[in-house]
Amino acid sequence: MVETPTVRRTGKAVPPDQLKPKFIIDKLNLWFTDAHILKDVTFNIPEKHVTAIMGPSGCGKSTLLRTLNRMHDLNPDCKITGSVKLRGTEIFNPEVDINDLRKDVGMVFQRPNPFPKSIFENVAYGMRIHGERAHKVVEQRVEEALRDANLWNEVKDKLHQSAFELSGGQQQRLCIARALAIKPDVILLDEPASALDPISTSRLEELIEELEGRYTVVIVTHNLQQAARVSQYTAFLMLGELVEFGITDEIFTAPSDERTENYLRGIFG
Amino acid sequence: MFGLCGLSVVVVFGMLLLIIVFIVIEGAGVISWDFLTEMPRDGMTAGGIMPALVGTLLLAVGAIIFALPLGVLAAIYLNEYSREGKLRRWIRMGINSLAGVPSVVFGLFGLALFVNLLDFGMSLLAGSLTLGLLVLPIIIRATEEALKTIPMSFREASLAMGATRWQTTIKVVLPAALGQILTGVILAIGRAAGETAPILFTAAVFYMRVLRVGLMEQVMALPYHIYALMTEGIHPEEQEAMAYGTALVLMVLVLLINGVAIWMRIRSRKIKKW
Ligand SMILES: Nc1ncnc2c1ncn2[C@@H]1O[C@H](COP(=O)(O)OP(=O)(O)OP(=O)(O)O)[C@@H](O)[C@H]1O
Ligand SMILES: [Mg+2]
């Protein structure tokens, strides 16, 4: 048996197929030119829970995540088949407005990437591009988003300073605030803590736990402890195939697939 | 090898210094406040160069007003919208060739298109447009270089929030690139101020008794004034002194403009933190 990291959350998780799905991913295949990166990936991402995507480097985790808000549209070498439904609507459907989709499905990147603007303007950016003009509303939502991202107390006195003056961990929480400010349903996080020190990482993890129940969160991570701490469900990818998907605790304690077990053992053994 | 390289540097700087010293020695004698602010008098042997100074500034500013939006939009198209491919390579090659066209050819083209075909006549407008064409490649390249230094991650962050490409360009990419773009623009102003050939047939006059400023008016210009002083008129000696004085003013003007560009480049490097 694989030794597992401590699981902080209590309470028994419900199997994912008994939950309302946010994304229904069906036979998703993806190629970059000729390289077949995602192979027949099929699973449902449950609504208002935290789902982790795990797997060895290069297995396609980021690629899968970026499919969910159609970031691959920018890449002419990328070809996708299969289906991804968000709340029942096919996201690849040409009638879907990609900007509306991305408004609903926010994303936070691996490296903190605030804009070269003030802290306030960073968080206000999304509202402004989506047409919010009223200063009162913007101000209020900026504060709300910064509070939700556990950053308000640290920045409330310097909202108009450059975002680059924040530490890496603060910048990453700012990026989360920026994503939250446009009130998305889903937040995609691609190894959000990989550039952060341990203290910033644990603050970020606390934040992600707090988002559970209000947002659908999908987080890519290399770190098993992190997945165990923040997620209820885990999808395990290998070489572009979905090896396993289920309740995080169960996957870690009793993986049903040999490959998962070997991977976990490789990391802990 | 090192010695040879060192020597080349000394020669280059020596020449630069020599030019500056030479022009200063020859030209400083006629420089005075009146020289900068008065009309030329007595067959260009007395008075000042005010209309030429004004004309050069107007031409340079006019060229930028025309070339800046066009050049920046073209660079945005190339860098933010077009995809790598044949079309983009062709456009780039065209722009590079445009940069290599001798300036007198621009002059002839300006004469044919702006002066004659569009019937602007010899005028500030025709001259500015011609100079604008000349500096267009400089502006496009400077803008493209500037846009390239903006990290992809800024664009991704913006697009991932549901911004359109245009919103991303206008609200994130351009503001971040502005310092560097302006540096290129200022260099282009310096270039436009120093050119003679493009305005030869399109805008410049030898001599005006009273200053007239207007889009459809002809203008005097510093580089052309030097040419006029050295080739026309009947008092070669007095005129030559005036020519060196004019050259000194032009040189200081262009060096000042370039100085501002260098200062801005240093400043934008200091501010930038990504
Ligand atoms: N834009 C691209 N063009 C071509 N190939 C790509 C592109 N992006 C990723 N790949 C390839 O797709 C595969 C999966 O990459 P991806 O970034 O999804 O892996 P990952 O699981 O996120 O890895 P890591 O844990 O190292 O971040 C890799 O082999 C990578 O080389
Ligand atoms: Mg990745």
Side-chain angles (χ1 to χ4, degrees), chain A residues 66 69 71 73-74 76 99 102 105 107 109 113-117 125-126 129-130 164 178 182, chain B residues 83 152-165 167-168 171-172 175-176 273-274:
Chain A
R66 294 163 68 89
N69 66 343
M71 282 308 269
D73 281 24
L74 298 172
N99 300 317
R102 289 175 179 163
V105 184
M107 183 167 222
F109 295 81
N113 58 353
F115 298 126
K117 297 177 187 289
Y125 181 80
I129 56 168
H130 292 296
F164 291 130
R178 184 173 68 179
I182 45 176
Chain B
R83 291 190 160 155
M152 253 346 252
S153 63
F154 290 176
R155 300 182 178 88
E156 282 195 329
S158 172
L159 294 170
M161 267 186 283
T164 60
R165 233 174 240 243
Q167 286 173 323
T168 301
K171 300 200 170 201
V172 177
K273 284 213 190 106
W274 57 86

Side-chain angles (χ1 to χ4, degrees), chain A residues 62 110 190-191:
Chain A
S62 301
Q110 184 161 355
D190 191 352
E191 300 192 50

Side-chain angles (χ1 to χ4, degrees), chain A residues 102-212:
Chain A
R102 289 175 179 163
K103 189 166 176 264
D104 284 349
V105 184
M107 183 167 222
V108 175
F109 295 81
Q110 184 161 355
R111 307 206 139 269
N113 58 353
F115 298 126
K117 297 177 187 289
S118 71
I119 294 168
F120 183 91
E121 283 305 321
N122 261 278
V123 184
Y125 181 80
M127 288 174 252
R128 295 206 201 285
I129 56 168
H130 292 296
E132 184 56 67
R133 288 266 148 65
H135 192 66
K136 270 256 148 40
V137 179
V138 172
E139 236 173 14
Q140 198 185 331
R141 291 256 290 275
V142 166
E143 176 172 344
E144 228 175 83
L146 285 168
R147 279 187 195 282
D148 282 350
N150 288 341
L151 191 60
W152 176 252
N153 287 331
E154 289 153 75
V155 301
K156 63 171 185 277
D157 300 320
K158 49 177 180 179
L159 288 175
H160 297 287
Q161 284 176 26
S162 162
F164 291 130
E165 283 166 29
L166 299 174
S167 75
Q170 290 173 324
Q171 287 187 13
Q172 197 60 305
R173 276 179 281 145
L174 178 69
C175 291
I176 294 180
R178 184 173 68 179
L180 295 178
I182 45 176
K183 299 195 184 293
D185 288 348
V186 182
I187 297 169
L188 310 174
L189 303 146
D190 191 352
E191 300 192 50
S194 67
L196 305 185
D197 61 74
I199 293 172
S200 305
T201 301
S202 74
R203 299 208 57 177
L204 190 75
E205 286 175 4
E206 279 166 29
L207 166 58
I208 294 166
E209 284 175 66
E210 282 168 27
L211 297 178
E212 189 202 339

Side-chain angles (χ1 to χ4, degrees), chain B residues 110-268:
Chain B
L111 172 69
L113 180 64
F114 303 126
V115 178
N116 294 334
L117 191 66
L118 297 178
D119 208 17
F120 297 155
M122 295 259 288
S123 61
L124 175 60
L125 180 62
S128 296
L129 290 171
T130 310
L131 281 173
L133 281 183
L134 181 88
V135 298
L136 202 50
I138 303 179
I139 291 184
I140 294 176
R141 275 194 209 158
T143 307
E144 261 206 283
E145 294 302 316
L147 296 177
K148 282 206 177 80
T149 65
I150 306 306
M152 253 346 252
S153 63
F154 290 176
R155 300 182 178 88
E156 282 195 329
S158 172
L159 294 170
M161 267 186 283
T164 60
R165 233 174 240 243
W166 183 244
Q167 286 173 323
T168 301
T169 305
I170 292 300
K171 300 200 170 201
V172 177
V173 181
L174 266 191
L178 198 64
Q180 239 188 311
I181 294 174
L182 287 184
T183 306
V185 167
I186 291 168
L187 286 174
I189 293 180
R191 173 82 196 277
E195 282 290 339
T196 321
I199 52 173
L200 206 57
F201 325 120
T202 57
V205 279
F206 277 164
Y207 192 69
M208 42 169 63
R209 236 170 274 279
V210 281
L211 180 66
R212 284 187 309 267
V213 173
L215 265 186
M216 291 309 177
E217 299 288 348
Q218 292 188 317
V219 290
M220 286 178 70
L222 291 172
Y224 191 50
H225 191 55
I226 298 171
Y227 175 72
L229 286 165
M230 296 302 285
T231 56
E232 306 284 317
I234 44 172
H235 305 283
E237 259 126 71
E238 289 102 321
Q239 286 177 208
E240 196 175 318
M242 300 290 276
Y244 278 110
T246 311
L248 179 56
V249 172
L250 178 59
M251 192 178 72
V252 169
L253 187 70
V254 171
L255 287 179
L256 268 180
I257 290 171
N258 287 2
V260 171
I262 291 167
W263 174 74
M264 285 191 52
R265 187 177 316 175
I266 293 170
R267 223 185 55 133
S268 75

